[in-house]
């Protein structure tokens, strides 16, 4: 997961509080349902006050889905840059996007649990996709760095690489959105393996369109 290394004590405490709130929100929705999950209940389970809750999230939906600002750490960007030569640009960008969507968490099943929530409560999908649109904007500079590592764009000017990055991001972002929609519409009985299925399907979609357009 993309996080900022070497956090100070205050930032570590804030991160811990945010993760506890997100974990509590997901736990309650899976246990009690969306309608019965309230800000008060989330706050109580996370052992914080409702006032503190609103220092981190503007609504219970935001906590459930983990809506937040994203910062891509330099070491994580380097790792993704290294993936370009090995796995290809489209695969790497999609992996980056899906990594960014899932927040840092000590809960190993967080991504799968959130996909299960989307399956049970598809009305949240609109909010999830709005978050994804925001995230794709925030990762644009990272995708530009990935494009610059692809030999096919090595001779382009920085402006041309940035333009290509926007197009690659639009293609990969669209593929992820379609994959998420398809998964939610299938209404599977559980979310086991959903993260891997989503990445595989999104990569397949992006490749298919790329081949057809070439």
């Amino acid at each position: 997961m993309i996080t900022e290394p070497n956090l100070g004590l205050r930032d570590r405490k804030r991160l811990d509080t945010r993760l506890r709130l997100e974990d509590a929100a997901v736990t309650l929705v899976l246990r009690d349902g969306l309608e019965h999950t309230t800000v008060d209940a989330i706050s109580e389970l996370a052992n914080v006050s409702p006032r503190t809750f609103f220092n981190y999230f503007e609504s219970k939906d935001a906590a459930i889905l983990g809506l937040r600002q994203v910062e891509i750490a330099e070491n994580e960007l380097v790792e993704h840059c290294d993936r370009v030569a090995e796995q290809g640009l489209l695969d790497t960008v999609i992996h980056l996007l899906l990594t960014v969507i899932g927040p840092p968490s000590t809960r190993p099943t967080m991504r799968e649990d959130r996909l299960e929530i989307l399956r049970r409560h598809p009305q949240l999908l609109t909010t999830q996709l709005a978050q994804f649109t925001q995230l794709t904007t925030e990762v644009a500079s990272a995708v530009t760095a990935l494009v610059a590592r692809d030999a096919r764009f090595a001779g382009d000017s920085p402006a041309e690489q940035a333009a290509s990055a926007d197009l690659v991001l639009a293609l990969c972002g669209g593929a992820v959105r379609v994959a998420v929609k398809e998964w939610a519409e299938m209404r599977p009985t559980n979310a086991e393996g959903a993260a891997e299925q989503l990445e595989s399907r999104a990569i397949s979609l992006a490749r298919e369109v790329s081949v057809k357009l070439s």
Side-chain angles (χ1 to χ4, degrees):
M1 180 46 52
I2 296 175
T3 58
E4 181 63 34
N6 304 319
L7 292 175
L9 178 59
R10 181 178 179 181
D11 287 336
R12 287 200 302 271
K13 287 183 176 180
R14 286 185 58 82
L15 176 60
D16 177 70
T17 300
R18 190 190 77 201
L19 295 183
R20 284 191 287 112
L21 285 166
E22 292 186 20
D23 185 81
V26 169
T27 296
L28 288 172
V29 175
L30 291 175
R31 189 187 73 189
D32 302 332
L34 183 61
E35 292 184 359
H36 296 290
T37 298
T38 65
V39 169
D40 286 345
I42 294 170
S43 301
E44 181 178 358
L45 185 58
N47 196 30
V48 302
S49 69
R51 180 176 180 179
T52 297
F53 174 95
F54 287 108
N55 289 334
Y56 292 85
F57 301 103
E58 65 179 18
S59 67
K60 71 174 187 180
D61 290 357
I64 293 165
L65 297 174
L67 305 189
R68 72 207 190 285
Q69 295 294 317
V70 172
E71 293 183 4
I72 301 177
E74 183 64 28
N75 65 316
E76 294 286 351
L77 180 56
V78 169
E79 290 179 9
H80 279 84
C81 284
D82 290 342
R83 289 172 62 99
V84 173
E86 179 182 351
Q87 300 188 17
L89 180 61
L90 295 181
D91 295 37
T92 302
V93 172
I94 287 171
H95 183 78
L96 172 65
L97 290 173
L98 288 172
T99 300
V100 167
I101 287 175
S105 177
T106 56
R107 184 188 187 108
T109 60
M110 179 62 86
R111 184 182 296 179
E112 287 76 11
D113 288 346
R114 282 194 168 122
L115 289 170
E116 174 63 16
I117 288 171
L118 288 174
R119 183 191 70 81
R120 297 184 189 179
H121 308 284
Q123 66 269 34
L124 289 174
L125 187 59
T126 299
T127 305
Q128 174 76 355
L129 295 180
Q131 179 209 20
F132 184 73
T133 299
Q134 177 184 358
L135 292 178
T136 55
T137 300
E138 294 174 352
V139 301
S141 60
V143 175
T144 299
L146 298 180
V147 167
R149 292 293 296 268
D150 191 304
R152 293 169 293 183
F153 301 93
D156 292 351
S157 68
E160 290 171 331
Q161 290 177 349
S164 296
D166 285 343
L167 294 172
V168 170
L169 183 55
L171 172 60
C172 294
V176 171
R177 284 194 294 269
V178 171
V180 171
K181 283 184 176 180
E182 286 181 350
W183 189 92
E185 289 170 357
M186 283 174 18
R187 302 187 68 81
T189 56
N190 63 69
E192 183 177 356
E196 292 76 13
Q197 294 173 27
L198 279 175
E199 183 166 338
S200 177
R201 177 55 175 158
I203 289 172
S204 177
L205 287 167
R207 287 178 176 177
E208 289 174 5
V209 171
S210 179
V211 169
K212 289 178 180 179
L213 292 176
S214 61

